[in-house]
Amino acid sequence: MDSIVILIIFFLLFLFSIPAIIFLIAYLAARSRKKKQKLLLEQIGSPEYYAFVRYNIGDTQNQFFKIKAFQGSGMIYVEGRDIHFVDTLHQNPHIFPLAESSIKWEDINIVNGLLKWFSVSDNTKKYFFNIESGMFIFNTNSSKPTTKSVFEKLIQYQNEI
């Protein structure tokens, strides 16, 4: 009888520790993401406009079998007459000239987790972007831009030139 009680207690401790581990991982990931974003902003300086985003490049956007809905995260920003993109690992930076680029609303992509996307393309590359939101419980900033608002702001910059 005592061994059954001890077994039930260990089972309940194990069962309740799973959500705690999940929240710990989410919290640590959110902290790491904020550090990377702060570092990116420090490296770039103070651009006219910026937003932290998730991205896919080209055909990756519509691939059905992949581990994540996005390739990585980074920052899109406007400086002068260009849209700049730099990712957190500095592997896929690109500069899109506003006058020669196409900015298109892609809307919801079922393959990519029902997220809303927009694309920016020029003669060489096409990038898909959505807002980096992270785990909702650790990201309660209501002033954070939406994917649609970033898209509209980029269109506004493009229309001004």
PDB file of all heavy atoms in Angstrom, residues 26-59:
ATOM      1  N   ALA A  26      10.017  28.462 -22.356  1.00  0.00           N
ATOM      2  CA  ALA A  26       9.427  29.621 -23.034  1.00  0.00           C
ATOM      3  C   ALA A  26       9.996  30.923 -22.482  1.00  0.00           C
ATOM      4  O   ALA A  26      10.302  31.852 -23.241  1.00  0.00           O
ATOM      5  CB  ALA A  26       7.907  29.602 -22.892  1.00  0.00           C
ATOM      6  N   TYR A  27      10.159  31.001 -21.186  1.00  0.00           N
ATOM      7  CA  TYR A  27      10.710  32.197 -20.555  1.00  0.00           C
ATOM      8  C   TYR A  27      12.154  32.430 -20.997  1.00  0.00           C
ATOM      9  O   TYR A  27      12.538  33.548 -21.351  1.00  0.00           O
ATOM     10  CB  TYR A  27      10.631  32.069 -19.028  1.00  0.00           C
ATOM     11  CG  TYR A  27      11.335  33.186 -18.303  1.00  0.00           C
ATOM     12  CD1 TYR A  27      10.774  34.452 -18.229  1.00  0.00           C
ATOM     13  CD2 TYR A  27      12.575  32.979 -17.707  1.00  0.00           C
ATOM     14  CE1 TYR A  27      11.423  35.488 -17.573  1.00  0.00           C
ATOM     15  CE2 TYR A  27      13.238  33.998 -17.056  1.00  0.00           C
ATOM     16  CZ  TYR A  27      12.652  35.250 -16.992  1.00  0.00           C
ATOM     17  OH  TYR A  27      13.296  36.267 -16.352  1.00  0.00           O
ATOM     18  N   LEU A  28      12.966  31.379 -20.995  1.00  0.00           N
ATOM     19  CA  LEU A  28      14.360  31.510 -21.403  1.00  0.00           C
ATOM     20  C   LEU A  28      14.474  31.871 -22.883  1.00  0.00           C
ATOM     21  O   LEU A  28      15.331  32.668 -23.275  1.00  0.00           O
ATOM     22  CB  LEU A  28      15.125  30.216 -21.099  1.00  0.00           C
ATOM     23  CG  LEU A  28      15.295  29.890 -19.614  1.00  0.00           C
ATOM     24  CD1 LEU A  28      15.932  28.513 -19.431  1.00  0.00           C
ATOM     25  CD2 LEU A  28      16.098  30.963 -18.909  1.00  0.00           C
ATOM     26  N   ALA A  29      13.600  31.317 -23.716  1.00  0.00           N
ATOM     27  CA  ALA A  29      13.600  31.658 -25.145  1.00  0.00           C
ATOM     28  C   ALA A  29      13.227  33.119 -25.352  1.00  0.00           C
ATOM     29  O   ALA A  29      13.815  33.808 -26.188  1.00  0.00           O
ATOM     30  CB  ALA A  29      12.632  30.744 -25.904  1.00  0.00           C
ATOM     31  N   ALA A  30      12.259  33.621 -24.599  1.00  0.00           N
ATOM     32  CA  ALA A  30      11.847  35.025 -24.709  1.00  0.00           C
ATOM     33  C   ALA A  30      12.991  35.949 -24.283  1.00  0.00           C
ATOM     34  O   ALA A  30      13.242  36.975 -24.929  1.00  0.00           O
ATOM     35  CB  ALA A  30      10.609  35.285 -23.859  1.00  0.00           C
ATOM     36  N   ARG A  31      13.691  35.598 -23.236  1.00  0.00           N
ATOM     37  CA  ARG A  31      14.842  36.410 -22.790  1.00  0.00           C
ATOM     38  C   ARG A  31      15.939  36.424 -23.839  1.00  0.00           C
ATOM     39  O   ARG A  31      16.517  37.468 -24.140  1.00  0.00           O
ATOM     40  CB  ARG A  31      15.406  35.863 -21.475  1.00  0.00           C
ATOM     41  CG  ARG A  31      14.749  36.459 -20.271  1.00  0.00           C
ATOM     42  CD  ARG A  31      15.402  36.109 -18.968  1.00  0.00           C
ATOM     43  NE  ARG A  31      16.858  35.985 -19.031  1.00  0.00           N
ATOM     44  CZ  ARG A  31      17.585  35.391 -18.118  1.00  0.00           C
ATOM     45  NH1 ARG A  31      17.009  34.854 -17.073  1.00  0.00           N
ATOM     46  NH2 ARG A  31      18.884  35.322 -18.219  1.00  0.00           N
ATOM     47  N   SER A  32      16.215  35.270 -24.402  1.00  0.00           N
ATOM     48  CA  SER A  32      17.247  35.170 -25.430  1.00  0.00           C
ATOM     49  C   SER A  32      16.863  35.985 -26.663  1.00  0.00           C
ATOM     50  O   SER A  32      17.700  36.686 -27.236  1.00  0.00           O
ATOM     51  CB  SER A  32      17.442  33.697 -25.818  1.00  0.00           C
ATOM     52  OG  SER A  32      18.276  33.589 -26.927  1.00  0.00           O
ATOM     53  N   ARG A  33      15.610  35.923 -27.057  1.00  0.00           N
ATOM     54  CA  ARG A  33      15.124  36.675 -28.219  1.00  0.00           C
ATOM     55  C   ARG A  33      15.265  38.180 -27.975  1.00  0.00           C
ATOM     56  O   ARG A  33      15.709  38.919 -28.844  1.00  0.00           O
ATOM     57  CB  ARG A  33      13.674  36.310 -28.524  1.00  0.00           C
ATOM     58  CG  ARG A  33      13.103  37.003 -29.735  1.00  0.00           C
ATOM     59  CD  ARG A  33      11.700  36.536 -30.105  1.00  0.00           C
ATOM     60  NE  ARG A  33      10.792  36.430 -28.984  1.00  0.00           N
ATOM     61  CZ  ARG A  33      10.406  35.288 -28.426  1.00  0.00           C
ATOM     62  NH1 ARG A  33      10.844  34.139 -28.869  1.00  0.00           N
ATOM     63  NH2 ARG A  33       9.571  35.287 -27.408  1.00  0.00           N
ATOM     64  N   LYS A  34      14.919  38.635 -26.779  1.00  0.00           N
ATOM     65  CA  LYS A  34      15.036  40.065 -26.463  1.00  0.00           C
ATOM     66  C   LYS A  34      16.496  40.522 -26.477  1.00  0.00           C
ATOM     67  O   LYS A  34      16.796  41.625 -26.926  1.00  0.00           O
ATOM     68  CB  LYS A  34      14.375  40.375 -25.129  1.00  0.00           C
ATOM     69  CG  LYS A  34      12.865  40.352 -25.221  1.00  0.00           C
ATOM     70  CD  LYS A  34      12.207  40.704 -23.917  1.00  0.00           C
ATOM     71  CE  LYS A  34      10.694  40.598 -24.087  1.00  0.00           C
ATOM     72  NZ  LYS A  34       9.972  40.981 -22.927  1.00  0.00           N
ATOM     73  N   LYS A  35      17.401  39.677 -26.005  1.00  0.00           N
ATOM     74  CA  LYS A  35      18.825  40.026 -26.037  1.00  0.00           C
ATOM     75  C   LYS A  35      19.304  40.161 -27.482  1.00  0.00           C
ATOM     76  O   LYS A  35      20.027  41.095 -27.819  1.00  0.00           O
ATOM     77  CB  LYS A  35      19.656  38.955 -25.323  1.00  0.00           C
ATOM     78  CG  LYS A  35      19.656  39.060 -23.828  1.00  0.00           C
ATOM     79  CD  LYS A  35      20.561  37.992 -23.248  1.00  0.00           C
ATOM     80  CE  LYS A  35      20.494  37.976 -21.736  1.00  0.00           C
ATOM     81  NZ  LYS A  35      21.324  36.902 -21.173  1.00  0.00           N
ATOM     82  N   LYS A  36      18.911  39.216 -28.332  1.00  0.00           N
ATOM     83  CA  LYS A  36      19.311  39.267 -29.741  1.00  0.00           C
ATOM     84  C   LYS A  36      18.738  40.504 -30.426  1.00  0.00           C
ATOM     85  O   LYS A  36      19.421  41.148 -31.223  1.00  0.00           O
ATOM     86  CB  LYS A  36      18.852  38.005 -30.474  1.00  0.00           C
ATOM     87  CG  LYS A  36      19.624  36.773 -30.093  1.00  0.00           C
ATOM     88  CD  LYS A  36      19.073  35.549 -30.789  1.00  0.00           C
ATOM     89  CE  LYS A  36      19.769  34.296 -30.317  1.00  0.00           C
ATOM     90  NZ  LYS A  36      19.147  33.088 -30.906  1.00  0.00           N
ATOM     91  N   GLN A  37      17.497  40.842 -30.122  1.00  0.00           N
ATOM     92  CA  GLN A  37      16.876  42.021 -30.723  1.00  0.00           C
ATOM     93  C   GLN A  37      17.592  43.296 -30.272  1.00  0.00           C
ATOM     94  O   GLN A  37      17.856  44.187 -31.074  1.00  0.00           O
ATOM     95  CB  GLN A  37      15.395  42.086 -30.361  1.00  0.00           C
ATOM     96  CG  GLN A  37      14.565  41.030 -31.047  1.00  0.00           C
ATOM     97  CD  GLN A  37      13.129  41.011 -30.588  1.00  0.00           C
ATOM     98  OE1 GLN A  37      12.749  41.628 -29.591  1.00  0.00           O
ATOM     99  NE2 GLN A  37      12.293  40.265 -31.302  1.00  0.00           N
ATOM    100  N   LYS A  38      17.915  43.381 -29.002  1.00  0.00           N
ATOM    101  CA  LYS A  38      18.610  44.554 -28.473  1.00  0.00           C
ATOM    102  C   LYS A  38      19.975  44.691 -29.128  1.00  0.00           C
ATOM    103  O   LYS A  38      20.396  45.797 -29.505  1.00  0.00           O
ATOM    104  CB  LYS A  38      18.748  44.434 -26.949  1.00  0.00           C
ATOM    105  CG  LYS A  38      19.392  45.634 -26.306  1.00  0.00           C
ATOM    106  CD  LYS A  38      19.478  45.458 -24.798  1.00  0.00           C
ATOM    107  CE  LYS A  38      20.213  46.632 -24.182  1.00  0.00           C
ATOM    108  NZ  LYS A  38      20.445  46.436 -22.759  1.00  0.00           N
ATOM    109  N   LEU A  39      20.688  43.580 -29.305  1.00  0.00           N
ATOM    110  CA  LEU A  39      21.996  43.593 -29.933  1.00  0.00           C
ATOM    111  C   LEU A  39      21.901  44.055 -31.386  1.00  0.00           C
ATOM    112  O   LEU A  39      22.713  44.859 -31.839  1.00  0.00           O
ATOM    113  CB  LEU A  39      22.634  42.206 -29.844  1.00  0.00           C
ATOM    114  CG  LEU A  39      24.072  42.091 -30.298  1.00  0.00           C
ATOM    115  CD1 LEU A  39      24.974  42.950 -29.427  1.00  0.00           C
ATOM    116  CD2 LEU A  39      24.524  40.639 -30.242  1.00  0.00           C
ATOM    117  N   LEU A  40      20.899  43.569 -32.117  1.00  0.00           N
ATOM    118  CA  LEU A  40      20.691  44.007 -33.501  1.00  0.00           C
ATOM    119  C   LEU A  40      20.468  45.507 -33.570  1.00  0.00           C
ATOM    120  O   LEU A  40      21.046  46.194 -34.409  1.00  0.00           O
ATOM    121  CB  LEU A  40      19.482  43.299 -34.117  1.00  0.00           C
ATOM    122  CG  LEU A  40      19.706  42.004 -34.859  1.00  0.00           C
ATOM    123  CD1 LEU A  40      18.394  41.453 -35.382  1.00  0.00           C
ATOM    124  CD2 LEU A  40      20.698  42.148 -35.969  1.00  0.00           C
ATOM    125  N   LEU A  41      19.629  46.006 -32.707  1.00  0.00           N
ATOM    126  CA  LEU A  41      19.316  47.436 -32.704  1.00  0.00           C
ATOM    127  C   LEU A  41      20.556  48.270 -32.359  1.00  0.00           C
ATOM    128  O   LEU A  41      20.776  49.324 -32.948  1.00  0.00           O
ATOM    129  CB  LEU A  41      18.177  47.720 -31.727  1.00  0.00           C
ATOM    130  CG  LEU A  41      17.447  49.037 -31.896  1.00  0.00           C
ATOM    131  CD1 LEU A  41      16.960  49.230 -33.321  1.00  0.00           C
ATOM    132  CD2 LEU A  41      16.282  49.116 -30.937  1.00  0.00           C
ATOM    133  N   GLU A  42      21.375  47.785 -31.437  1.00  0.00           N
ATOM    134  CA  GLU A  42      22.612  48.491 -31.092  1.00  0.00           C
ATOM    135  C   GLU A  42      23.584  48.516 -32.270  1.00  0.00           C
ATOM    136  O   GLU A  42      24.264  49.514 -32.499  1.00  0.00           O
ATOM    137  CB  GLU A  42      23.283  47.839 -29.875  1.00  0.00           C
ATOM    138  CG  GLU A  42      22.573  48.098 -28.571  1.00  0.00           C
ATOM    139  CD  GLU A  42      23.145  47.289 -27.417  1.00  0.00           C
ATOM    140  OE1 GLU A  42      24.087  46.481 -27.633  1.00  0.00           O
ATOM    141  OE2 GLU A  42      22.639  47.448 -26.292  1.00  0.00           O
ATOM    142  N   GLN A  43      23.651  47.435 -33.026  1.00  0.00           N
ATOM    143  CA  GLN A  43      24.563  47.359 -34.165  1.00  0.00           C
ATOM    144  C   GLN A  43      24.116  48.278 -35.302  1.00  0.00           C
ATOM    145  O   GLN A  43      24.946  48.862 -35.993  1.00  0.00           O
ATOM    146  CB  GLN A  43      24.644  45.918 -34.687  1.00  0.00           C
ATOM    147  CG  GLN A  43      25.352  44.985 -33.754  1.00  0.00           C
ATOM    148  CD  GLN A  43      25.222  43.536 -34.187  1.00  0.00           C
ATOM    149  OE1 GLN A  43      24.463  43.202 -35.098  1.00  0.00           O
ATOM    150  NE2 GLN A  43      25.942  42.654 -33.519  1.00  0.00           N
ATOM    151  N   ILE A  44      22.826  48.409 -35.491  1.00  0.00           N
ATOM    152  CA  ILE A  44      22.297  49.178 -36.610  1.00  0.00           C
ATOM    153  C   ILE A  44      22.224  50.663 -36.291  1.00  0.00           C
ATOM    154  O   ILE A  44      22.385  51.497 -37.169  1.00  0.00           O
ATOM    155  CB  ILE A  44      20.930  48.608 -37.026  1.00  0.00           C
ATOM    156  CG1 ILE A  44      21.173  47.261 -37.676  1.00  0.00           C
ATOM    157  CG2 ILE A  44      20.198  49.536 -37.966  1.00  0.00           C
ATOM    158  CD1 ILE A  44      20.008  46.403 -37.843  1.00  0.00           C
ATOM    159  N   GLY A  45      21.997  50.997 -35.078  1.00  0.00           N
ATOM    160  CA  GLY A  45      21.874  52.402 -34.696  1.00  0.00           C
ATOM    161  C   GLY A  45      20.421  52.795 -34.566  1.00  0.00           C
ATOM    162  O   GLY A  45      19.627  52.058 -33.998  1.00  0.00           O
ATOM    163  N   SER A  46      20.062  53.941 -35.129  1.00  0.00           N
ATOM    164  CA  SER A  46      18.676  54.403 -35.009  1.00  0.00           C
ATOM    165  C   SER A  46      18.086  54.643 -36.404  1.00  0.00           C
ATOM    166  O   SER A  46      18.158  55.755 -36.926  1.00  0.00           O
ATOM    167  CB  SER A  46      18.601  55.662 -34.152  1.00  0.00           C
ATOM    168  OG  SER A  46      19.507  56.627 -34.660  1.00  0.00           O
ATOM    169  N   PRO A  47      17.545  53.593 -37.017  1.00  0.00           N
ATOM    170  CA  PRO A  47      16.948  53.748 -38.341  1.00  0.00           C
ATOM    171  C   PRO A  47      15.641  54.547 -38.279  1.00  0.00           C
ATOM    172  O   PRO A  47      15.056  54.712 -37.208  1.00  0.00           O
ATOM    173  CB  PRO A  47      16.688  52.312 -38.788  1.00  0.00           C
ATOM    174  CG  PRO A  47      16.575  51.539 -37.526  1.00  0.00           C
ATOM    175  CD  PRO A  47      17.453  52.231 -36.528  1.00  0.00           C
ATOM    176  N   GLU A  48      15.182  55.016 -39.444  1.00  0.00           N
ATOM    177  CA  GLU A  48      13.925  55.770 -39.519  1.00  0.00           C
ATOM    178  C   GLU A  48      12.759  54.949 -38.970  1.00  0.00           C
ATOM    179  O   GLU A  48      11.918  55.446 -38.245  1.00  0.00           O
ATOM    180  CB  GLU A  48      13.612  56.134 -40.979  1.00  0.00           C
ATOM    181  CG  GLU A  48      14.571  57.090 -41.608  1.00  0.00           C
ATOM    182  CD  GLU A  48      14.258  57.294 -43.076  1.00  0.00           C
ATOM    183  OE1 GLU A  48      13.060  57.388 -43.432  1.00  0.00           O
ATOM    184  OE2 GLU A  48      15.204  57.338 -43.870  1.00  0.00           O
ATOM    185  N   TYR A  49      12.700  53.693 -39.380  1.00  0.00           N
ATOM    186  CA  TYR A  49      11.609  52.802 -38.974  1.00  0.00           C
ATOM    187  C   TYR A  49      12.165  51.384 -38.920  1.00  0.00           C
ATOM    188  O   TYR A  49      12.970  50.986 -39.764  1.00  0.00           O
ATOM    189  CB  TYR A  49      10.470  52.867 -40.003  1.00  0.00           C
ATOM    190  CG  TYR A  49       9.353  51.898 -39.702  1.00  0.00           C
ATOM    191  CD1 TYR A  49       8.436  52.162 -38.698  1.00  0.00           C
ATOM    192  CD2 TYR A  49       9.239  50.706 -40.405  1.00  0.00           C
ATOM    193  CE1 TYR A  49       7.423  51.264 -38.405  1.00  0.00           C
ATOM    194  CE2 TYR A  49       8.223  49.804 -40.117  1.00  0.00           C
ATOM    195  CZ  TYR A  49       7.325  50.088 -39.110  1.00  0.00           C
ATOM    196  OH  TYR A  49       6.324  49.197 -38.808  1.00  0.00           O
ATOM    197  N   TYR A  50      11.745  50.611 -37.920  1.00  0.00           N
ATOM    198  CA  TYR A  50      12.181  49.220 -37.848  1.00  0.00           C
ATOM    199  C   TYR A  50      11.119  48.358 -37.178  1.00  0.00           C
ATOM    200  O   TYR A  50      10.245  48.850 -36.462  1.00  0.00           O
ATOM    201  CB  TYR A  50      13.503  49.086 -37.076  1.00  0.00           C
ATOM    202  CG  TYR A  50      13.398  49.367 -35.605  1.00  0.00           C
ATOM    203  CD1 TYR A  50      13.149  48.344 -34.701  1.00  0.00           C
ATOM    204  CD2 TYR A  50      13.533  50.660 -35.103  1.00  0.00           C
ATOM    205  CE1 TYR A  50      13.040  48.591 -33.342  1.00  0.00           C
ATOM    206  CE2 TYR A  50      13.435  50.926 -33.760  1.00  0.00           C
ATOM    207  CZ  TYR A  50      13.187  49.888 -32.880  1.00  0.00           C
ATOM    208  OH  TYR A  50      13.082  50.142 -31.544  1.00  0.00           O
ATOM    209  N   ALA A  51      11.220  47.061 -37.434  1.00  0.00           N
ATOM    210  CA  ALA A  51      10.350  46.079 -36.781  1.00  0.00           C
ATOM    211  C   ALA A  51      11.096  44.750 -36.718  1.00  0.00           C
ATOM    212  O   ALA A  51      11.845  44.403 -37.640  1.00  0.00           O
ATOM    213  CB  ALA A  51       9.045  45.913 -37.553  1.00  0.00           C
ATOM    214  N   PHE A  52      10.906  44.027 -35.643  1.00  0.00           N
ATOM    215  CA  PHE A  52      11.482  42.698 -35.519  1.00  0.00           C
ATOM    216  C   PHE A  52      10.529  41.705 -36.167  1.00  0.00           C
ATOM    217  O   PHE A  52       9.318  41.739 -35.925  1.00  0.00           O
ATOM    218  CB  PHE A  52      11.731  42.356 -34.048  1.00  0.00           C
ATOM    219  CG  PHE A  52      12.771  43.235 -33.434  1.00  0.00           C
ATOM    220  CD1 PHE A  52      12.417  44.236 -32.543  1.00  0.00           C
ATOM    221  CD2 PHE A  52      14.106  43.083 -33.767  1.00  0.00           C
ATOM    222  CE1 PHE A  52      13.378  45.067 -31.985  1.00  0.00           C
ATOM    223  CE2 PHE A  52      15.073  43.915 -33.220  1.00  0.00           C
ATOM    224  CZ  PHE A  52      14.707  44.899 -32.324  1.00  0.00           C
ATOM    225  N   VAL A  53      11.082  40.837 -37.014  1.00  0.00           N
ATOM    226  CA  VAL A  53      10.257  39.956 -37.835  1.00  0.00           C
ATOM    227  C   VAL A  53      10.803  38.531 -37.841  1.00  0.00           C
ATOM    228  O   VAL A  53      11.940  38.281 -37.465  1.00  0.00           O
ATOM    229  CB  VAL A  53      10.197  40.473 -39.293  1.00  0.00           C
ATOM    230  CG1 VAL A  53       9.452  41.789 -39.392  1.00  0.00           C
ATOM    231  CG2 VAL A  53      11.588  40.603 -39.892  1.00  0.00           C
ATOM    232  N   ARG A  54       9.953  37.645 -38.314  1.00  0.00           N
ATOM    233  CA  ARG A  54      10.367  36.296 -38.686  1.00  0.00           C
ATOM    234  C   ARG A  54      10.370  36.268 -40.200  1.00  0.00           C
ATOM    235  O   ARG A  54       9.619  37.000 -40.833  1.00  0.00           O
ATOM    236  CB  ARG A  54       9.394  35.269 -38.129  1.00  0.00           C
ATOM    237  CG  ARG A  54       9.475  35.160 -36.630  1.00  0.00           C
ATOM    238  CD  ARG A  54       8.538  34.106 -36.132  1.00  0.00           C
ATOM    239  NE  ARG A  54       8.778  33.881 -34.716  1.00  0.00           N
ATOM    240  CZ  ARG A  54       7.864  33.465 -33.870  1.00  0.00           C
ATOM    241  NH1 ARG A  54       6.642  33.229 -34.279  1.00  0.00           N
ATOM    242  NH2 ARG A  54       8.166  33.273 -32.608  1.00  0.00           N
ATOM    243  N   TYR A  55      11.172  35.391 -40.773  1.00  0.00           N
ATOM    244  CA  TYR A  55      11.271  35.409 -42.232  1.00  0.00           C
ATOM    245  C   TYR A  55      11.415  34.023 -42.844  1.00  0.00           C
ATOM    246  O   TYR A  55      11.808  33.070 -42.178  1.00  0.00           O
ATOM    247  CB  TYR A  55      12.451  36.281 -42.671  1.00  0.00           C
ATOM    248  CG  TYR A  55      13.803  35.636 -42.457  1.00  0.00           C
ATOM    249  CD1 TYR A  55      14.444  34.957 -43.485  1.00  0.00           C
ATOM    250  CD2 TYR A  55      14.449  35.705 -41.230  1.00  0.00           C
ATOM    251  CE1 TYR A  55      15.677  34.361 -43.293  1.00  0.00           C
ATOM    252  CE2 TYR A  55      15.680  35.124 -41.023  1.00  0.00           C
ATOM    253  CZ  TYR A  55      16.292  34.448 -42.065  1.00  0.00           C
ATOM    254  OH  TYR A  55      17.507  33.851 -41.857  1.00  0.00           O
ATOM    255  N   ASN A  56      11.091  33.958 -44.116  1.00  0.00           N
ATOM    256  CA  ASN A  56      11.387  32.839 -45.004  1.00  0.00           C
ATOM    257  C   ASN A  56      11.920  33.428 -46.289  1.00  0.00           C
ATOM    258  O   ASN A  56      11.523  34.531 -46.678  1.00  0.00           O
ATOM    259  CB  ASN A  56      10.133  32.017 -45.330  1.00  0.00           C
ATOM    260  CG  ASN A  56       9.774  31.048 -44.229  1.00  0.00           C
ATOM    261  OD1 ASN A  56      10.642  30.466 -43.603  1.00  0.00           O
ATOM    262  ND2 ASN A  56       8.491  30.882 -43.983  1.00  0.00           N
ATOM    263  N   ILE A  57      12.779  32.702 -46.962  1.00  0.00           N
ATOM    264  CA  ILE A  57      13.318  33.165 -48.236  1.00  0.00           C
ATOM    265  C   ILE A  57      12.786  32.268 -49.345  1.00  0.00           C
ATOM    266  O   ILE A  57      12.906  31.046 -49.270  1.00  0.00           O
ATOM    267  CB  ILE A  57      14.861  33.128 -48.241  1.00  0.00           C
ATOM    268  CG1 ILE A  57      15.423  33.997 -47.130  1.00  0.00           C
ATOM    269  CG2 ILE A  57      15.401  33.571 -49.595  1.00  0.00           C
ATOM    270  CD1 ILE A  57      16.924  33.886 -46.956  1.00  0.00           C
ATOM    271  N   GLY A  58      12.208  32.892 -50.366  1.00  0.00           N
ATOM    272  CA  GLY A  58      11.799  32.204 -51.589  1.00  0.00           C
ATOM    273  C   GLY A  58      10.877  31.024 -51.382  1.00  0.00           C
ATOM    274  O   GLY A  58       9.878  31.103 -50.672  1.00  0.00           O
ATOM    275  N   ASP A  59      11.222  29.898 -52.003  1.00  0.00           N
ATOM    276  CA  ASP A  59      10.358  28.718 -52.027  1.00  0.00           C
ATOM    277  C   ASP A  59      10.156  28.073 -50.662  1.00  0.00           C
ATOM    278  O   ASP A  59       9.255  27.265 -50.487  1.00  0.00           O
ATOM    279  CB  ASP A  59      10.919  27.672 -52.999  1.00  0.00           C
ATOM    280  CG  ASP A  59      10.889  28.158 -54.436  1.00  0.00           C
ATOM    281  OD1 ASP A  59      10.057  29.043 -54.744  1.00  0.00           O
ATOM    282  OD2 ASP A  59      11.691  27.661 -55.241  1.00  0.00           O
TER     283      ASP A  59
END
